[in-house]
Amino acid sequence: FHGYGLNSQDQIKWVSNSATEDHHCDGHGYSTSVGAALHGSGVADGAVEFDVLFQSDSHVDGPWKMCYKFYNETTPWKLYGAMTVEVREFYSVSAAEFGETTVAVAHRQKHMTLDGFGVANGDRVRWIDTNTMNCTSEGVDMVSYEDVEWWETHSPTQAPTKAPTKAPTQAPTKAPTKAPTKAPTTAPVPAPSP
């Protein structure tokens, strides 16, 4: 945050979108942070860095508005209603076009349904090795399974363009179309006469 008279001990708080006056900052906040560092600024007197952690998404009362409190304890909270944040959250993979939501087959496209607040078309997902534990590591590809470039550069051979639409749901109903090709090795034994 850039401004004048800033201090590394300044605070920010995110409050309900219904807040319209400064005193609305005095109550509950969805996240409150104390400044982490004071920096120089090319556009103002200084800049304060804040680490912000939200415990929930903003589907209730959001997008949230920002309140700012200068380090001087006699200064009340000030509402900056034009500065808002929408906190998004991914909940789960809730469905798959076929098969389980936890299983995929290499080089086969699979459509999955992702649930969450703020999840939208154009979002991207990344599947990483369980040992990586870092989605920003070098060499970890952000994959869209409809991305033609990904298929061409990452698959060892030409990848199929379409996944199977459905797995078989019942056994075949027709008999074999060819007769056996070998004759019986022993002749049938006639039944005894009465």
Side-chain angles (χ1 to χ4, degrees):
F1 293 85
H2 297 261
Y4 293 88
L6 303 182
N7 187 290
S8 62
Q9 296 300 304
D10 290 352
Q11 297 178 60
I12 58 171
K13 180 191 287 190
W14 300 93
V15 298
S16 168
N17 190 265
S18 63
T20 56
E21 298 179 21
D22 290 346
H23 68 87
H24 293 153
C25 296
D26 295 334
H28 168 73
Y30 292 99
S31 176
T32 303
S33 304
V34 176
L38 184 64
H39 302 285
S41 170
V43 295
D45 182 35
V48 178
E49 177 182 321
F50 291 90
D51 293 324
V52 179
L53 175 64
F54 296 100
Q55 299 296 330
S56 65
D57 61 54
S58 61
H59 76 277
V60 175
D61 296 334
W64 296 328
K65 295 180 180 178
M66 191 193 80
C67 299
Y68 198 95
K69 183 175 170 99
F70 290 92
Y71 179 58
N72 179 351
E73 292 183 9
T74 61
T75 304
W77 286 99
K78 169 71 177 156
L79 176 67
Y80 290 86
M83 299 184 96
T84 62
V85 64
E86 179 182 71
V87 181
R88 299 174 181 183
E89 185 175 11
F90 168 73
Y91 300 151
S92 66
V93 179
S94 61
E97 180 184 20
F98 54 86
E100 298 295 323
T101 59
T102 58
V103 177
V105 176
H107 311 296
R108 295 285 181 177
Q109 182 172 302
K110 183 170 185 174
H111 291 272
M112 295 181 168
T113 302
L114 308 181
D115 285 340
F117 174 72
V119 174
N121 288 337
D123 288 354
R124 300 171 75 190
V125 297
R126 176 173 280 168
W127 306 101
I128 61 171
D129 185 291
T130 54
N131 296 323
T132 305
M133 300 305 287
N134 183 349
C135 291
T136 59
S137 295
E138 271 191 47
V140 178
D141 194 12
M142 182 69 78
V143 176
S144 162
Y145 283 95
E146 294 180 344
D147 186 341
V148 175
E149 181 181 346
W150 184 86
W151 285 118
E152 292 175 353
T153 61
H154 290 79
S155 60
T157 59
Q158 180 68 34
T161 56
K162 288 272 185 184
T165 55
K166 286 190 177 180
T169 56
Q170 62 185 24
T173 55
K174 290 189 174 183
T177 56
K178 290 185 176 181
T181 57
K182 290 189 173 183
T185 55
T186 58
V189 177
S193 50

